[in-house]
Amino acid sequence: MKSSLDGMAPNWRQRLALPRGIRDAINGVDFNRFRFWLQIFFFVLLVYGGFTGLNLGNNLPTFSCGYNQNGRPGVCYLLPLQHQLAMPTKALLGYASLTILSGLFIFFLWFIVLNKGWCGFVCPLGTVQDWITDLRVNMGVRFTRYSQASFEALSWMKYVLLALMIVIPLGIGAGYFSHDLGAPYCMICPARLIIPTLALNFDQLVLDFSSPGKIVMTTLGAITTGLFLAGSFVKKRFWCFFCPMSAFHYLLSKSAFFRLIKDGDKCTRCGDCYTVCDLQIKEIADDVRNPQIMMDDCIVCLKCVAACPEQGALKATFAGLTVFESTEEGFIKRMEKGTRA
Amino acid sequence: MRSERSAKGDRGGGMSEANDATAMSGMSFGRGPTVKTLALRIGSEPLGAKDETLPDSAIQILANDGVRSSAPLVNMGDASRAKVEIPNYGFYNASVTRKTVHGKFLDVQIAQAELLKGAMAHGGHSEHDPKLFKATMDDKAPFELIREHGPDEKLWTTIRSGEKASFLVRSYGSPVAGAHVTLVSQEGWRKTLTTDANGRAEFTVIRDYFPDWADFNRRHSGVFLVWAEKETPDAGVYDGHDYSATRYQASLSGRYYPSPADYESYGYGVGVVVFVTAFAGLSIWLFRQRRRKSFKEIVFNEKLA
């Protein structure tokens, strides 16, 4: 059957497309193993890279925790953002706003490369959660899934935390709140206790009794860390559901180069993508109309693409070029190796 | 920013300099180099120090890259002030000298200040350049007192109560052994040591901040004053007066803060984490157990029928 494309010159995507052999090799890769080693690489880089003098700046779109003083090769952007937003309001409305805008711009430049893939492949806290999940699997303990009602009730929390992360520092700068509430999200983030501890810096494992504000914030931080450890054991990517960085990413995701695309015409509604999704995103299976299938909870781990048996139904693209797509051959190969949900 | 005062105690005279709170107004975001205001004071205790004047003098500044500059000491009635520009990150050595002949002695009093342009900026260059963390020493100074920096010192390192504070006494770049070094805390505690062969005297900064808990401020800073004294047989003529010996005194001040051990607890921190993890884990397990109800079939008891 003739196609309307017959006889037409190849477009730029076709010109830049990888040769078929390489495409098949990528699409048929042992995805779990690839992701596992990539996560280890980024974990070592972001937790211990600072010991080599590496300096990636202070605008990173991932949890390279700033409290990991010696090990960090760069700083998670949320920490300097909160500090900058806490500047006196007069300065904030003046030339200091250039500091924030320039910081946001550099953060944006980092972010658009991987979109929310920073969460699924790079974030060290996400990697810790995946390792806790592996521990649970090896212990033979069953995982937990939220009910749909719970999912919908809890999914707004990341936006609340994002709003508080911005409002409280602004209130500090305006004189409404004490500086003891400085960097409020960092004070409750489990990464502040866990990441430095993994770099043998135990300074954050304390409760600070110097003021009521510090008592509250450091206690909240200890509580969220305890909940993180218990929650991550039974729920895959437990903290990603509440993470304000995830919410922040989603607000900027429309401009990113890296995308998760669905061709609804090829979807057979088998539900494999939803089954393997750590974040229980229903739309990945149910939505067959919207090609931009990345939701706010998505961490672009691409497990759905790896688990999809339909050729081209799901794909990851970079600047419009397909880098990884679902194929029947890849699905069969991964099922034979035992793709783990 | 530190308020630095130094004094010469026993002989009732001396020089000191202070980096007072008005220096903060000299720090602004993105408007040229940092400017610090130094004040000259005299006294043997930080809180009791008074303003002093020194006409026709200038503060000598040595940067960590060896560049020398000066700033005029402006007399304002009973006080003297100098505005010092410190454009680059790192430690600067500022000093002013007064020489007077008393009897057969030439008294050389050097009031010093260690100025810091630091940064808490995350991920900046200043975090990783070790040259910026070293104390600035003047090999041309006939007598100087330097606060020795620790191996882990950065641009934001502070001295805490309970920690060691080590000082070096040097003369033309060489250590001075046998100099008397006195440190006075904000509340008046003082101790005198003699420098060893390396010119070093090491103090433990005591805790002297005991407010009620409700008034406790972790950012509270006390000022310590430290001075070094040494007599040498150097003789000569100064300002038309003969002298047969020289008495050197160099002074320095700094700030110290409450120790984290006063308000931080590892026990409570780890305890809360462990407790919450265990409680949440137990709750999840109990929840799962309760959902796993065994099937109970209805049994018809024929005996009761």
Side-chain angles (χ1 to χ4, degrees), chain A residues 22-95:
Chain A
I22 296 177
R23 284 209 316 268
D24 288 344
I26 291 173
N27 293 333
V29 74
D30 184 343
F31 182 77
N32 280 345
R33 182 179 295 182
F34 166 75
R35 185 161 172 264
F36 172 78
W37 286 109
L38 198 60
Q39 284 182 297
I40 284 188
F41 168 75
F42 283 119
F43 182 85
V44 171
L45 180 72
L46 294 177
V47 177
Y48 307 106
F51 291 113
T52 66
L54 183 64
N55 182 4
L56 299 174
N58 56 347
N59 304 90
L60 296 182
T62 185
F63 283 175
S64 176
C65 185
Y67 291 88
N68 179 18
Q69 291 275 356
N70 292 323
R72 69 188 197 209
V75 181
C76 163
Y77 180 58
L78 297 188
L79 177 59
L81 177 63
Q82 292 170 87
H83 280 162
Q84 288 163 4
L85 290 175
M87 282 195 282
T89 307
K90 193 177 172 185
L92 208 57
L93 296 174
Y95 46 84

Side-chain angles (χ1 to χ4, degrees), chain A residues 96-140:
Chain A
S97 59
L98 292 176
T99 305
I100 296 178
L101 290 174
S102 60
L104 265 174
F105 179 66
I106 298 172
F107 168 83
F108 180 70
L109 291 179
W110 277 109
F111 168 72
I112 58 174
V113 175
L114 283 184
N115 202 342
K116 289 171 114 287
W118 286 98
C119 304
F121 288 88
V122 181
C123 178
L125 193 67
T127 301
V128 167
Q129 291 175 87
D130 289 340
W131 289 347
I132 294 174
T133 295
D134 288 345
L135 175 64
R136 173 187 55 74
V137 170
N138 289 330
M139 291 172 65

Side-chain angles (χ1 to χ4, degrees), chain A residues 20 23-28 261-268 270 304-316 322 324-332 334:
Chain A
R20 187 180 178 87
R23 284 209 316 268
D24 288 344
I26 291 173
N27 293 333
I261 304 293
K262 178 171 181 177
D263 186 343
D265 291 338
K266 297 175 182 171
C267 175
T268 58
C270 67
C304 50
V305 180
C308 177
E310 304 302 331
Q311 177 77 35
L314 285 169
K315 61 177 82 167
T322 301
F324 182 55
E325 70 176 326
S326 57
T327 61
E328 184 179 346
E329 296 82 9
F331 169 78
I332 291 171
R334 285 184 278 269

Side-chain angles (χ1 to χ4, degrees), chain A residues 239-255:
Chain A
W239 189 256
C240 297
F241 206 58
F242 310 108
C243 180
M245 180 71 93
S246 176
F248 197 15
H249 281 182
Y250 186 65
L251 297 176
L252 304 174
S253 62
K254 298 245 182 318
S255 309

